Amino acid sequence: MNALDQLYQQVILDHSRERHGAGALESPDATSHQVNPTCGDDVTVGVRVVDGRVDSIGWEGDGCSISQASISVMHDLVVGADLDTVARLEADFDALMHSRGRGVDASVLDELEDAAAFEGVSKYPNRVKCALLGWIALKDALLKAGVPLDAASTD
């Protein structure tokens, strides 16, 4: 294993142990509960949006280290971000996860920050769903809150 792979593996392990944003959000605008039936991971994400920005996210869930770490990293990326940025990050992470190990442009990896650590996960289709679970819940919660990400960049 090369040094970059070791660093990425450590990022995932660190986030799975110390879960940023873990805990139910008090008075969310909306919540979404999602389950990955192939491995049993589940998460409930609550979101609050203020003035076109993700003000806060809280989440509760159980699952493998990949799903839990991905949600923790997602929290760090999107809290405080405007909805256009969140939409772009979600699309970039989705593209990374569906790259099947071929990777994405270095600028995308830079923007994804710690989420770039999941690049190796894309080689394992059965693990891609684990990494995407929190992002799917966030996207659904935003839709329920009346601020769908698909519309964020068209406003």
Side-chain angles (χ1 to χ4, degrees), residues 44-144:
T44 300
V45 171
V47 64
R48 189 175 313 118
V49 177
V50 176
D51 296 328
R53 293 188 170 278
V54 173
D55 179 67
S56 52
I57 292 176
W59 62 276
E60 296 179 299
D62 292 305
C64 68
S65 61
I66 292 170
S67 72
Q68 302 299 282
S70 179
I71 300 164
S72 176
V73 169
M74 176 193 73
H75 169 272
D76 291 354
L77 283 172
V78 303
V79 169
D82 64 73
L83 294 172
D84 286 336
T85 300
V86 174
R88 189 174 58 253
L89 289 166
E90 186 276 330
D92 287 348
F93 191 74
D94 189 73
L96 176 68
M97 288 296 89
H98 289 98
S99 70
R100 296 192 180 258
R102 292 184 304 272
V104 294
D105 190 75
S107 64
V108 171
L109 293 177
D110 287 344
E111 185 169 30
L112 287 174
E113 299 176 16
D114 278 356
F118 295 87
E119 185 173 25
V121 173
S122 71
K123 297 175 190 173
Y124 306 99
N126 60 333
R127 290 304 195 190
V128 167
K129 290 179 182 178
C130 301
L132 288 173
L133 186 65
W135 290 90
I136 292 167
L138 173 63
K139 194 172 180 179
D140 185 53
L142 288 169
L143 178 65
K144 289 177 179 177

